[in-house]
């Protein structure tokens, strides 16, 4: 029988794929299809609305329970989890096993291969791949800093701590890492990295973005100001 060897090879290959899937790299395009299941309750685009569940753009490696404007269960809000790949994958496999009293009623994706695919897709949902934050003008951003930030922050290399930490080379860096500044517990424990997304979210409304932050700053309302300050901060290296 001619077909038999081919069949055997396929079976073996399939078997190996399944067995190595625990940490195997997933297929993002398959993951995108699987993510349709999530979209019953979640938007996945940057700045998407919260629905029954919170917007999930850029959720990987972020602390749980922190999407602005979303009312979490107490269990999720107090979970202290970070959505690193392993935690995310476990949660998606069986939400209630990871956060016992979560209000996410989703049966779970049982197949490890599917979770790996989904994870690969979620990896693509982050600021750097998004065109949604307009490209700002660094010169104008400097003016925004002068107007809105320098009462509390210095921006030059080695600048002083004023009411807030020095902001030289902050873009892309982990939060709450400036030695000698006394951060709020909220920021210290946030696990945040100052990605484009997080910076813009924080600067739009610090208190809403991170409950308990001591950055008493009402926030930048104009999208242009936010894009400009981001562009300016990225020049400070
Ligand atoms: C039936 C609606 C529903 C579906 C389907 C659903 N979720 Fe959720 N999800 C929720 C709700 C509600 C919450 C808030 C949970 C809480 O506060 O306890 C949530 C929370 C989350 C969180 C935590 C977010 C944060 O800000 O900490 C992640 C991660 C998540 N969902 C991922 C997924 C993924 C991935 C899928 C698809 C495989 C999915 N969800 C499908 C309703 C859903
Ligand atoms: C009224 C004072 C004040 C103003 C105005 C202010 N900030 Fe802050 N900022 C703070 C404080 C205080 C913190 C520390 C917050 C904490 O620990 O929770 C902080 C923290 C930050 C952080 C996090 C730093 C880190 O090390 O993780 C960034 C980024 C930031 N501010 C940017 C800005 C920018 C940009 C502006 C102007 C658009 C601004 N802030 C305006 C007081 C201020």
């Amino acid at each position: 029988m001619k077909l038999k060897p081919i069949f055997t090879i396929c079976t073996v290959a399939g078997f190996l794929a399944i067995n190595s899937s625990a940490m195997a790299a997933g297929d993002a395009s398959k993951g995108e299809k699987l993510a349709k299941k999530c979209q019953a309750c979640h938007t996945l685009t940057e700045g998407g609305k919260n629905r029954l569940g919170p917007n999930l753009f850029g959720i990987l490696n972020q602390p749980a329970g922190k999407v602005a404007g979303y009312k979490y269960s107490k269990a999720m809000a107090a979970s202290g989890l970070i959505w690193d790949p392993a935690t995310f994958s476990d949660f998606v496999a069986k939400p209630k096993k990871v956060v016992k009293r979560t209000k996410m009623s989703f049966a779970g994706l049982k197949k490890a291969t599917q979770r790996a695919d989904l994870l690969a897709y979620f990896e693509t949902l982050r600021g750097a791949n998004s065109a949604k934050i307009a490209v700002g003008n660094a010169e104008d951003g400097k003016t925004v800093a002068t107007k809105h930030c320098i009462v509390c922050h210095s921006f030059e290399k080695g600048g002083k701590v004023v009411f807030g930490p020095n902001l030289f080379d902050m873009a892309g860096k982990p939060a709450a890492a400036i030695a000698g500044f006394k951060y709020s517990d909220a920021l210290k424990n946030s696990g945040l990295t100052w990605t484009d997304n997080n910076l813009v979210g924080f600067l739009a409304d610090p208190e809403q973005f991170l409950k308990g932050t001591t950055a008493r700053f009402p926030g930048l309302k104009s999208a242009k100001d936010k894009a400009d300050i981001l562009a300016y901060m990225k020049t400070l290296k």
Side-chain angles (χ1 to χ4, degrees), residues 20-33:
S20 60
S21 64
M23 280 286 104
D27 176 338
S29 64
K30 285 186 187 155
E32 183 170 6
K33 292 195 187 99

Side-chain angles (χ1 to χ4, degrees), residues 1-7:
M1 179 85 172
K2 250 192 178 165
L3 280 175
K4 207 168 179 193
I6 295 171
F7 175 76

Side-chain angles (χ1 to χ4, degrees), residues 37 59 91 106 212:
K37 291 183 197 285
I59 197 73
F91 182 71
F106 176 67

Side-chain angles (χ1 to χ4, degrees), residues 82-145:
I82 305 281
W83 295 119
D84 57 51
T87 310
F88 178 85
S89 179
D90 289 350
F91 182 71
V92 169
K94 203 160 190 209
K96 291 196 161 59
K97 203 169 161 194
V98 175
V99 182
K100 209 169 170 190
R101 312 187 70 156
T102 178
K103 61 175 176 172
M104 170 157 148
S105 34
F106 176 67
L109 286 180
K110 298 294 168 254
K111 284 194 187 151
T113 44
Q114 291 190 326
R115 295 198 301 273
D117 292 342
L118 192 71
L119 189 62
Y121 176 59
F122 271 77
E123 297 273 6
T124 70
L125 303 176
R126 39 171 117 242
N129 289 319
S130 154
K132 259 259 185 107
I133 300 177
V135 178
N137 177 310
E139 258 322 292
D140 293 352
K142 192 168 179 183
T143 311
V144 176

Side-chain angles (χ1 to χ4, degrees), residues 165 175-176 183-192 194 202 210-213:
Y183 290 98
S184 64
D185 288 342
L187 194 58
K188 248 188 332 215
N189 300 331
S190 69
L192 284 169
W194 291 121
F202 179 72
L210 183 70
K211 225 175 146 72
T213 177

Side-chain angles (χ1 to χ4, degrees), residues 5-170:
I6 295 171
F7 175 76
T8 309
I9 288 165
C10 289
T11 310
V12 170
F15 179 75
L16 288 176
I18 288 164
N19 269 306
S20 60
S21 64
M23 280 286 104
D27 176 338
S29 64
K30 285 186 187 155
E32 183 170 6
K33 292 195 187 99
L34 287 164
K36 296 252 180 331
K37 291 183 197 285
C38 320
Q39 284 167 292
C41 302
H42 295 283
T43 57
L44 305 180
T45 50
E46 184 168 8
K49 281 208 209 76
N50 296 324
R51 288 199 191 139
L52 202 55
N55 171 258
L56 292 181
F57 182 84
I59 197 73
L60 282 182
N61 299 315
Q62 296 299 315
K66 297 284 192 239
V67 172
Y70 181 76
K71 204 166 172 339
Y72 290 92
S73 64
K74 282 203 189 108
M76 184 64 78
S79 68
L81 292 173
I82 305 281
W83 295 119
D84 57 51
T87 310
F88 178 85
S89 179
D90 289 350
F91 182 71
V92 169
K94 203 160 190 209
K96 291 196 161 59
K97 203 169 161 194
V98 175
V99 182
K100 209 169 170 190
R101 312 187 70 156
T102 178
K103 61 175 176 172
M104 170 157 148
S105 34
F106 176 67
L109 286 180
K110 298 294 168 254
K111 284 194 187 151
T113 44
Q114 291 190 326
R115 295 198 301 273
D117 292 342
L118 192 71
L119 189 62
Y121 176 59
F122 271 77
E123 297 273 6
T124 70
L125 303 176
R126 39 171 117 242
N129 289 319
S130 154
K132 259 259 185 107
I133 300 177
V135 178
N137 177 310
E139 258 322 292
D140 293 352
K142 192 168 179 183
T143 311
V144 176
T146 307
K147 202 165 146 201
H148 294 280
C149 320
I150 60 168
V151 286
C152 297
H153 294 284
S154 61
F155 285 81
E156 67 281 4
K157 188 172 185 174
K160 283 205 292 271
V161 168
V162 193
F163 289 110
N166 172 258
L167 294 181
F168 182 80
D169 197 16
M170 185 62 68

